[in-house]
Structures are given as C-alpha cells and as structure tokens.
Amino acid sequence: MAIEQTLSIIKPDGVAQGLIGEVIHRFEKNGLKIRALKMIQLTKTQAQAFYAVHREKGFYDSLTDFMSSGPVVVLLLEGESAIEKNRELMGATDYRKAEPGTIRADFASSIEQNIVHGSDAPPTAQTEIAFFFNHLEKF
Ligand code: UDP
Ligand code: MG
C-alpha cells in the first residue's frame, strides 16, 4: 500500500453525455484527490501519440478518431493505491464485462466509447501524467 498518482481521462463520450461531475464525484467520494485538471481537445496526432502502445491494433485508427472527436477532461488523481483504485472504479474495458456499479458498466455505450481512461501501472502513469501536465499545473 502506498500513495500513488494516476492519470484519468473523461473521454469525448463522457463529456458529451454530461458525466464530468458524476465521474469526478465518484473519484472524490472514493478517496482519490484531484491534483490537476483541464479540458482540452486532442488532435488526431496527439491521440495517436497517447495511444502509441496500441498502434498495431485493429482498433487504433477508430480509437484515435474517437479520442480526437471532441473535448476531454484530463485529471491527475492521487491516493492510496490510486492506479488500482481508479481501475476498479472504471470497470473492465468491455462494459459488458464490467462489474455493476462501475463507471463503464453504468455509462459506456461500446467497447470503444467507454467514458474513461485510466493508467494501468506505475511507469505508464508517470509517462501519461507527463504527457498532459507540466510542473506548474500540478498541486
Ligand atoms: N478499445 C477498443 N476496442 C478494443 C479494445 C480497446 O476500441 O477491442 C479502446 C477502448 O476505448 C479502450 C482503449 O481502446 O479503453 C484502450 O484499450 P486498453 O486495452 O488499454 O483498455 P483500457 O486500459 O482503457 O481499459
Ligand atoms: Mg489501457
């Protein structure tokens, strides 16, 4: 057990569905503190860079179109076991397999349009936080 930081993104579908407040409320009431936050729209090139780990996958082009299709809210979350905690609150990638009461089970509309992103491990969390936030934007 340790205090960790992780990156969350409320994806374009979550923003479009008016779920910013709902998602942030779930983070805060489950002990995840917000250390940075902003709304931005990624370019296609930026979305491709963020998801570069998936560049060989069949869903990469559609995913990066979707992720650059509208504004997103990017958050730096901090708390006890924050990476795993956030993944628990999100639910499985495929919303049909996500635990009831998770963000994806409650709100996702497809395996692609699944409302939230969350870092999957400490090294990726650090890389993803640095992708979006500089030292002046973090508290
Ligand atoms: N994705 C998709 N089709 C798939 C698997 C993933 O469109 O078969 C999308 C989905 O939006 C997912 C993102 O690609 O959230 C990144 O996939 P990953 O396996 O890293 O899932 P996550 O870490 O987001 O649960
Ligand atoms: Mg992932």
Side-chain angles (χ1 to χ4, degrees):
M1 298 278 273
I3 300 292
E4 293 175 340
Q5 294 190 333
T6 190
L7 187 90
S8 169
I9 304 176
I10 305 175
K11 296 183 179 185
D13 57 333
V15 173
Q17 288 180 54
L19 293 171
I20 297 171
E22 172 71 27
V23 171
I24 289 177
H25 184 54
R26 290 183 185 213
F27 294 151
E28 292 190 323
K29 78 180 178 194
N30 285 284
L32 293 173
K33 293 197 181 328
I34 296 166
R35 297 297 188 204
L37 175 157
K38 61 186 166 189
M39 179 181 272
I40 54 170
Q41 182 161 359
L42 294 169
T43 64
K44 172 81 172 175
T45 303
Q46 289 167 338
Q48 288 171 324
F50 181 73
Y51 277 117
V53 65
H54 292 309
R55 65 187 171 279
E56 306 299 336
K57 307 269 177 59
F59 60 80
Y60 180 65
D61 193 48
S62 178
L63 171 64
T64 53
D65 275 348
F66 163 57
M67 288 299 291
S68 57
S69 68
V72 298
V73 173
V74 192
L75 306 103
L76 169 48
L77 304 176
E78 183 180 279
E80 191 69 44
S81 304
I83 297 167
E84 189 187 337
K85 167 71 71 179
N86 181 40
R87 298 288 311 192
E88 281 173 16
L89 295 173
M90 290 162 60
T93 308
D94 182 347
Y95 70 104
R96 293 165 299 188
K97 297 177 185 155
E99 290 293 321
T102 60
I103 294 166
R104 285 166 163 175
D106 285 349
F107 303 115
S109 53
S110 70
I111 189 162
E112 177 182 88
Q113 302 205 8
N114 59 5
I115 309 291
V116 278
H117 167 85
S119 309
D120 61 8
T124 41
Q126 287 314 305
T127 306
E128 291 179 359
I129 290 165
F131 186 92
F132 284 107
F133 295 111
N134 69 43
H135 68 286
L136 296 175
E137 299 173 304
K138 297 187 275 190
F139 291 87

